[in-house]
Amino acid sequence: MKLDRSFRDLRQIPLRTTLLDDAAVAARLRAGTTPSVPVGRRYPWLSWSVLGAATAAAVIVWLQGTDGTDPVSGGPKVDAAASASSVVPGDGTTKPPAGAPMEAIATLPPQRRQRPTAHGHTPRRTAADGTRSTDCRLRPALSMAHRSATDTPSMRITEDFIRQRAVAVRMADAERLNICVDDANGILRIPYNRNGRRECTKSVLVVGRSEDVRTTEACAAMGPDRTAPVFAIVSHYRRVDGMMLPTGVQHVPLDNTDEWVRDTEAVSYVGSSALVPVQIDIPAERGDAEGRSARVMLFYRATEAIVTSLPANAAGIVSAELAAKRRLESGESVDAACGFLADRPILGVCRTASHALRDVRVVAVPGRAVICHYNLLRSADVSIAIHDLAGNLVAHEGVERHDAGAVDHVLAANLDTGLYRVVINAGGDDVTVNSMVVTR
Amino acid sequence: MQSDRASQFMEVYRPVAQRLERYCLMLTGDVDDARDLAGDTVEQAWKGFDGVRDRQAFLAFLFTIASRRWARIRHGRRGRVQVDEASFDDVFDTSQDVERQTDARMLYEALQTLPAEQREVIVLSEIFDMSARDIAAVAGCTEVTVRVRLHRAKARLRRLVGAGDTLPAPVLKPTPIEVDR
């Protein structure tokens, strides 16, 4: 074998895919135009890259008093506007009310906790599902959600629940609740003094990319004097469709001592869908000026990332997303953009490849069908099953033979609003699209 | 104004886009990492575009950004993230020109086993045909270091793929001599 000739061959064989299409390049140019956060010299790693202005649509804060109301299983409905304008006084405990959604997720049993190493680093490994998790404390989303849903039927997170309780975050709300939300996109930045140290006496919610924001360092950045209590850090990301999407959150003990750096625990929802709900309870002592408690639900949505990485033929969903993005860019409020998106179906995206399948994308048309778009690498028998989070089979398509190539597999399914899991079996290999969100 | 700048950027970027992508793929050995790296490189190049005087050297400019960014990422990971490197079939279009793929496949797999620094140097030299001086500029080391890395990389590759040729080691394109006239 001649090395020279082999190198020449390697130079000439065309690549399988284009890494950056024009839209992706354009997105990068836009991101490069946005000024970075000035952070001073002390913490240069804090100059986070910006995911895009559309992430403003990401933040929905759900305000609810910890008064025992069950928003899903028959409790009194709370008007979104009303909940935005008032916080119901709570009992001051951090524990969510019995039967509240995600309660089981929010309270992991002790044996599930894994501590950082002696050096303060969290051990890393490849997760059981083959994805490169950056933190082994994270378990696959579905197993957690599934287990929780099995334990507590009311755990199921429905769009109805979200809609009833969700309001768009406003600066005024955050101010009223004494919260800083720092998502590295400048939604609400924590001020820095000239020494590059954060000077903030508010409670802080930090959302950042794990590559750039190392958890312990981010915590440490709050200053050795701990002037800014930290509620939670969304620091665990999973690569979805080439972009890093948040998949987890670490709660930080609220007593604001040194202990929390070493004793953080992953206690919140972990998901790989485009929508990542994160729930945080704020006790009365950390609540607003009148000592009222609140529950905050952060919905992180990387609209920009999805828009730029999807092909234009993804069954019209892209146009809906783009339209929403344009609305945001034209200065429309986050409320309006979120409301607009809520009326559209939302897709699940999965790049997990099996031996036979690649580039799986799932689009749900609520009440009618689910369209699974994928590239089949070889002829194979394909079957599709859709489960809800409780594991119930809600739709199924029997074995169907498909030739290699791009396939649009349409499955008639009358899906209600909610979260689902799609399992596509091709030639014996399963590919799972976790947590597909269907909205009307 | 901004759109003019963007169109100027795209004008010089488009012709070299594929080479940047190939470089990122060879560097990272992983399609997703390569996509991220290429995107970060474009973003960084866009930020520093006004400082680029020689548009002919834009590819080297991109390579330099990508190389340093990748070094930072590797340093940040330091064994904490396990990466399953992409197979030959993941990276290259294997549907055509099958006969030339056998050796290339072996070589690609052997390249994946090289240390990152050696891989970078040999890719720049053999696939992108760059001179030692240019490689040194991209990799941020001296020309001597480039030659040493190249020598070691080739020796290792020869062992790995059982190359029958006897390349004089180290072989590098001569650095062009600039002559003042």
Side-chain angles (χ1 to χ4, degrees):
Chain A
M1 170 180 168
K2 303 281 187 191
L3 270 185
D4 283 352
R5 198 181 56 203
S6 303
F7 270 118
R8 196 182 58 233
D9 292 345
L10 207 52
R11 194 184 309 164
Q12 291 170 353
I13 298 174
L15 298 178
R16 175 179 284 280
T17 55
T18 302
L19 295 181
L20 297 176
D21 56 15
D22 282 353
V25 172
R28 287 295 185 160
L29 297 192
R30 277 200 305 279
T33 308
T34 310
S36 58
V37 181
V39 294
R41 284 171 295 176
R42 189 169 171 186
Y43 303 108
W45 51 267
L46 275 173
S47 53
W48 298 315
S49 59
V50 179
L51 269 176
T55 315
V59 183
I60 299 172
V61 173
W62 172 50
L63 308 173
Q64 182 212 1
T66 49
D67 57 353
T69 309
D70 185 343
V72 177
S73 56
K77 302 291 184 186
V78 176
D79 179 59
S83 67
S85 59
S86 65
V87 178
V88 182
D91 57 6
T93 61
T94 56
K95 191 172 170 58
M102 296 197 291
E103 179 188 15
I105 299 173
T107 47
L108 287 176
Q111 65 268 24
R112 295 191 179 282
R113 299 174 190 165
Q114 291 190 26
R115 293 175 186 278
T117 64
H119 303 292
H121 297 300
T122 303
R124 318 280 163 136
R125 69 180 181 195
T126 301
D129 61 358
T131 55
R132 278 172 289 159
S133 168
T134 55
D135 192 316
C136 69
R137 283 172 295 188
L138 303 181
R139 279 148 297 280
L142 196 65
S143 62
M144 272 182 73
H146 187 176
R147 190 163 48 242
S148 306
T150 310
D151 295 344
T152 318
S154 65
M155 285 292 301
R156 183 170 156 184
I157 308 160
T158 64
E159 179 63 20
D160 188 40
F161 149 65
I162 292 167
R163 275 204 189 185
Q164 291 293 333
R165 301 292 175 157
V167 293
V169 65
R170 297 183 191 89
M171 301 285 264
D173 292 332
E175 286 291 325
R176 187 161 46 82
L177 282 169
N178 209 23
I179 305 170
C180 267
V181 180
D182 183 357
D183 76 339
N185 290 318
I187 291 176
L188 186 58
R189 290 177 188 160
I190 303 168
Y192 293 83
N193 64 14
R194 64 182 59 176
N195 296 323
R197 180 178 295 178
R198 290 167 186 268
E199 279 187 342
C200 180
T201 54
K202 296 180 177 183
S203 304
V204 179
L205 183 64
V206 178
V207 184
R209 298 175 67 178
S210 61
E211 289 278 330
D212 303 325
V213 185
R214 292 167 203 150
T215 308
T216 50
E217 290 177 7
C219 296
M222 298 304 145
D225 46 352
R226 303 278 188 272
T227 52
V230 180
F231 273 125
I233 297 175
V234 178
S235 61
H236 311 292
Y237 280 72
R238 175 175 297 179
R239 199 186 295 276
V240 177
D241 210 21
M243 298 297 294
M244 301 297 281
L245 294 182
T247 57
V249 66
Q250 277 185 304
H251 266 208
V252 177
L254 295 166
D255 54 1
N256 207 22
T257 62
D258 282 343
E259 281 301 304
W260 59 264
V261 175
R262 295 190 294 274
D263 196 25
T264 53
E265 51 181 298
V267 292
S268 197
Y269 183 83
V270 182
S272 61
S273 70
L275 276 171
V276 182
V278 172
Q279 178 183 311
I280 298 148
D281 286 306
I282 301 174
E285 62 266 26
R286 294 283 182 193
D288 64 3
E290 295 170 27
R292 292 179 296 190
S293 63
R295 176 174 298 159
V296 175
M297 176 168 278
L298 178 89
F299 247 79
Y300 199 96
R301 185 181 172 72
T303 312
E304 175 93 359
I306 294 168
V307 169
T308 55
S309 59
L310 275 178
N313 61 358
I317 189 68
V318 173
S319 60
E321 299 269 353
L322 278 172
K325 185 167 159 286
R326 274 196 293 273
R327 282 172 173 231
L328 277 173
E329 286 174 347
S330 67
E332 215 165 292
S333 70
V334 176
D335 299 55
C338 288
F340 174 78
L341 274 179
D343 291 334
R344 298 300 192 275
I346 295 178
L347 67 166
V349 179
C350 175
R351 284 189 71 87
T352 309
S354 73
H355 293 298
L357 275 177
R358 280 180 204 282
D359 302 332
V360 179
R361 292 182 174 88
V362 181
V363 180
V365 182
R368 280 184 286 173
V370 171
I371 304 165
C372 300
H373 175 89
Y374 49 81
N375 281 322
L376 205 54
L377 299 187
R378 58 171 187 260
S379 298
D381 294 330
V382 181
S383 65
I384 298 176
I386 301 175
H387 304 264
D388 62 16
L389 283 187
N392 303 316
L393 185 68
V394 294
H396 180 258
E397 176 91 344
V399 173
E400 194 173 308
R401 186 80 181 170
H402 286 286
D403 292 330
V407 178
D408 279 319
H409 199 138
V410 181
L411 169 64
N414 184 12
L415 295 188
D416 200 358
T417 300
L419 289 174
Y420 296 90
R421 179 179 62 144
V422 181
V423 181
I424 305 172
N425 183 299
D429 293 326
D430 277 345
V431 167
T432 303
V433 178
N434 282 335
S435 308
M436 178 183 69
V437 182
V438 178
T439 64
R440 281 182 189 274
Chain B
M1 187 72 178
Q2 195 70 7
S3 62
D4 282 352
R5 187 169 175 262
S7 58
Q8 280 175 19
F9 181 87
M10 292 307 289
E11 197 177 305
V12 290
Y13 171 71
R14 277 213 181 90
V16 298
Q18 278 206 342
R19 275 182 281 177
L20 172 67
E21 292 183 0
R22 187 178 291 265
Y23 178 61
C24 291
L25 280 165
M26 298 301 292
L27 210 58
T28 61
D30 178 82
V31 178
D32 285 331
D33 276 343
R35 183 173 285 118
D36 284 352
L37 181 61
D40 289 348
T41 303
V42 167
E43 193 176 322
Q44 198 64 38
W46 166 247
K47 285 177 183 168
F49 186 57
D50 293 336
V52 180
R53 292 177 185 169
D54 183 7
R55 298 288 161 89
Q56 300 299 318
F58 189 65
L59 182 63
F61 177 58
L62 292 176
F63 280 2
T64 306
I65 295 171
S67 170
R68 291 175 189 181
R69 171 77 186 142
W70 181 237
R72 272 202 303 279
I73 292 171
R74 278 190 290 116
H75 179 74
R77 289 180 178 170
R78 278 183 301 208
R80 288 185 299 189
V81 178
Q82 293 175 14
V83 179
D84 300 324
E85 300 210 315
S87 69
F88 186 82
D89 295 330
D90 292 334
V91 174
F92 295 101
D93 181 5
T94 51
S95 60
Q96 46 188 315
D97 223 355
V98 179
E99 65 272 10
R100 71 162 46 152
Q101 286 173 18
T102 315
D103 287 352
R105 183 186 298 269
M106 277 181 68
L107 179 61
Y108 175 80
E109 285 163 4
L111 277 171
Q112 306 298 305
T113 67
L114 292 181
E117 293 84 2
Q118 291 180 19
R119 192 197 302 185
E120 178 185 15
V121 166
I122 201 162
V123 163
L124 287 172
S125 166
E126 299 298 327
I127 295 184
F128 295 100
D129 212 21
M130 290 176 73
S131 70
R133 189 175 64 178
D134 291 343
I135 296 174
V138 168
C141 58
T142 65
E143 286 187 41
V144 173
T145 308
V146 169
R147 288 177 204 282
V148 170
R149 285 179 185 169
L150 192 64
H151 173 78
R152 289 177 179 164
K154 281 191 171 172
R156 190 160 175 169
L157 284 179
R158 266 188 231 107
R159 278 202 307 277
L160 287 168
V161 301
D165 55 346
T166 51
L167 285 176
V171 178
L172 258 189
K173 285 81 199 167
T175 302
I177 299 169
E178 292 173 3
V179 179
D180 292 327
R181 293 168 190 257

